[in-house]
């Protein structure tokens, strides 16, 4: 019920909706509407109530279980949605509970043990980021799962650009940058047998409303708020992301490649056509980044002119 009220107020956020209208739509008493409105306010929603005019929602950055329910109503590819005020890691939660769910999305206001790749830490400050993971069960081979990182990257890039006038770049394979700084990181994990994926968890951390960062990442990290100077709605970003992701994911499952988005990936790549350092374990060599192919692999031209294909997860790359 709460999510129905929230959904309606979100759809009509430019005008007032009377208690009478809401009670007719939701088929409950006006007292009950009043109670749910108060509960939404307690969750942080900024809802003004004006005598005779009704209720109006000002979209701040609140996100909640009711908001997620509004969103998954709009999509078939996710069956379950869970919101947590605080959780160690949304990726770890879905991995630990995957046997109890089909497909799902988990969003947290705070992660206390957010994870990057290779055991690195993802700083997930409360209330200011979009910390989410999606559990999917695509019928693909294990080698295909890494492409989903780039499906998510494209969807998030487009979502940010839909909501804000910003230009976003992709740093292969899993970062989104604004200018030179990282605004989003993606961690895709899977459980698979040799020939088939059992499930994939795509974890996406987007810095939304941070005004400053902890010392250890302040030189490399940015947020949408820092870039625009305005508070950005996490709900609007998540809605735009899920819309884009659903479309690109469906296309990916048809093509089993990134062919519909590879042009955009190359156009927005910060590596392509640049000299890069390729770091493999203890060894670093320089090469020219040539392109990203439709399987999401980075093709480099070595100093002796030969071409090498780099797979996701195999190497780290730095712009020289
Ligand atoms: C990533 O790893 O960029 C993947 C991050 C995935 C985070 C999401 S949040 C939801 C889900 N649940 C999780 O537990 N994780 C996922 P990597 O490429 O390894 O980058 C990690 C590095 O980015 C760190 O070593 C820091 O240098 C930097 N970093 C950490 N927190 C950051 C932040 N909030 N913004 C920008 N950079 C950050």
């Amino acid at each position: 019920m709460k999510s129905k009220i929230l959904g309606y107020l979100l759809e009509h956020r430019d005008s007032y909706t009377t208690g009478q209208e809401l009670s007719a739509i939701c088929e409950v008493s006006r007292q009950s509407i009043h109670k749910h409105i108060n509960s939404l306010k307690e969750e942080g929603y900024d809802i003004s109530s004006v005598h005779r005019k009704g209720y109006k929602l000002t979209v701040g950055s609140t996100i909640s279980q009711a908001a997620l329910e509004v969103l998954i109503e709009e999509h078939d590819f996710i069956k379950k949605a869970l919101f947590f005020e605080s959780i160690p890691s949304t990726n770890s939660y879905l991995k630990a509970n995957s046997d109890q769910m089909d497909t799902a999305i988990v969003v947290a206001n705070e992660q206390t043990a957010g994870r990057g790749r290779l055991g690195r830490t993802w700083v997930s400050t409360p209330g200011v980021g979009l910390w989410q993971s999606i559990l999917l069960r695509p019928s693909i081979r294990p080698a295909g799962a890494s492409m989903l990182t780039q499906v998510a990257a494209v969807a998030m890039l487009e979502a940010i650009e839909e909501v804000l006038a910003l230009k976003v770049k992709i740093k292969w394979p899993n970062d989104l940058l604004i200018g030179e700084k990282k605004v989003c990181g993606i961690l895709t994990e899977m459980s698979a047998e040799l020939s088939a994926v059992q499930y994939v968890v795509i974890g996406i951390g987007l810095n939304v409303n941070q005004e400053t960062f902890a010392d250890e990442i302040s030189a490399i990290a940015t947020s949408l708020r820092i870039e625009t100077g305005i508070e950005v709605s996490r709900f609007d970003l998540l809605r735009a992301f899920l819309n884009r992701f659903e479309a690109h994911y469906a296309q990916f499952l048809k093509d089993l490649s990134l062919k519909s988005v590879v042009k955009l990936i190359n156009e927005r790549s910060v590596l392509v056509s640049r000299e890069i350092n390729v770091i493999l374990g203890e060894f670093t060599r320089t090469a020219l980044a040539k392109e990203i192919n439709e399987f999401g692999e980075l093709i480099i031209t070595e100093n002796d002119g030969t071409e090498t294909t780099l797979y996701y997860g195999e190497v780290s790359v730095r712009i020289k």
Side-chain angles (χ1 to χ4, degrees):
M1 178 58 59
K2 217 159 56 172
S3 69
K4 199 163 179 188
I5 297 171
L6 180 63
Y8 195 84
L9 291 178
L10 281 162
E11 283 312 319
H12 301 85
R13 58 175 101 161
D14 295 330
S15 54
Y16 280 89
T17 306
T18 62
Q20 203 173 356
E21 263 174 276
L22 283 174
S23 77
I25 289 153
C26 301
E27 295 171 345
V28 293
S29 67
R30 285 174 67 174
Q31 284 80 350
S32 165
I33 296 290
H34 188 68
K35 208 179 77 207
H36 287 301
I37 294 272
N38 280 344
S39 159
L40 285 168
K41 283 183 181 169
E42 273 162 30
E43 284 175 15
Y45 290 98
D46 183 1
I47 301 171
S48 61
S49 356
V50 174
H51 185 56
R52 289 184 197 281
K53 280 175 131 183
Y55 304 105
K56 185 170 149 189
L57 176 69
T58 306
V59 178
S61 190
T62 304
I63 212 143
S64 65
Q65 182 67 35
L68 291 190
E69 279 161 22
V70 171
L71 290 177
I72 62 161
E73 276 282 300
E74 298 171 1
H75 299 283
D76 291 334
F77 77 106
I78 298 177
K79 298 214 165 64
K80 185 170 182 159
L82 289 170
F83 174 79
F84 291 93
E85 211 29 67
S86 180
I87 197 174
S89 152
T90 53
N91 263 43
S92 304
Y93 179 88
L94 280 176
K95 282 165 64 181
N97 295 285
S98 64
D99 54 348
Q100 291 156 44
M101 302 174 205
D102 180 24
T103 53
I105 181 168
V106 170
V107 178
N109 217 27
E110 172 188 29
Q111 294 185 118
T112 52
R115 295 189 291 112
R117 294 176 301 159
L118 308 168
R120 294 192 279 251
T121 299
W122 183 257
V123 179
S124 316
T125 312
V128 287
L130 192 51
W131 320 129
Q132 62 161 321
S133 298
I134 299 178
L135 171 72
L136 296 171
R137 298 181 183 276
S139 302
I140 56 172
R141 287 169 182 273
S146 63
M147 283 187 265
L148 286 171
T149 299
Q150 294 181 58
V151 172
V154 167
M156 189 55 91
L157 175 150
E158 290 177 345
I160 296 168
E161 294 188 352
E162 183 186 315
V163 175
L164 300 162
L166 279 174
K167 182 100 175 171
V168 183
K169 296 260 174 85
I170 305 176
K171 179 164 176 275
W172 183 88
N174 70 319
D175 295 350
L176 293 183
L177 309 186
I178 299 179
E180 309 269 289
K181 292 188 171 179
K182 181 158 167 171
V183 72
C184 174
I186 303 172
L187 172 67
T188 300
E189 300 182 285
M190 69 170 160
S191 168
E193 288 157 23
L194 278 177
S195 60
V197 165
Q198 197 194 347
Y199 69 77
V200 177
V201 173
I202 308 171
I204 307 150
L206 176 68
N207 298 325
V208 183
N209 284 320
Q210 288 93 335
E211 292 180 273
T212 53
F213 283 96
D215 286 350
E216 74 258 31
I217 55 167
S218 63
I220 55 160
T222 191
S223 74
L224 299 177
R225 180 163 195 162
I226 290 172
E227 296 299 326
T228 58
I230 53 169
E231 186 183 28
V232 186
S233 158
R234 289 182 295 170
F235 177 86
D236 287 350
L237 287 165
L238 184 56
R239 174 179 260 172
F241 168 76
L242 290 174
N243 287 339
R244 303 279 177 160
F245 184 83
E246 179 167 40
H248 289 308
Y249 178 56
Q251 192 61 45
F252 164 78
L253 291 179
K254 269 191 209 146
D255 298 340
L256 294 176
S257 79
L258 299 170
K259 75 177 182 212
S260 68
V261 287
V262 72
K263 187 164 169 276
L264 178 71
I265 290 175
N266 278 279
E267 280 166 5
R268 297 306 184 82
S269 167
V270 290
L271 300 185
V272 166
S273 307
R274 304 273 295 268
E275 256 213 292
I276 58 171
N277 280 326
V278 179
I279 306 155
L280 185 54
E282 290 171 7
F283 301 101
T284 299
R285 63 188 200 271
T286 61
L288 181 74
K290 188 176 171 237
E291 63 168 339
I292 293 147
N293 69 17
E294 67 178 54
F295 301 107
E297 298 152 352
L298 177 66
I299 316 286
I300 57 169
T301 310
E302 308 277 1
N303 287 338
D304 66 3
T306 57
E307 280 187 4
T308 307
T309 303
L310 301 180
Y311 303 95
Y312 174 82
E314 185 190 41
V315 290
S316 286
V317 288
R318 305 250 186 288
I319 301 165
K320 270 193 76 186

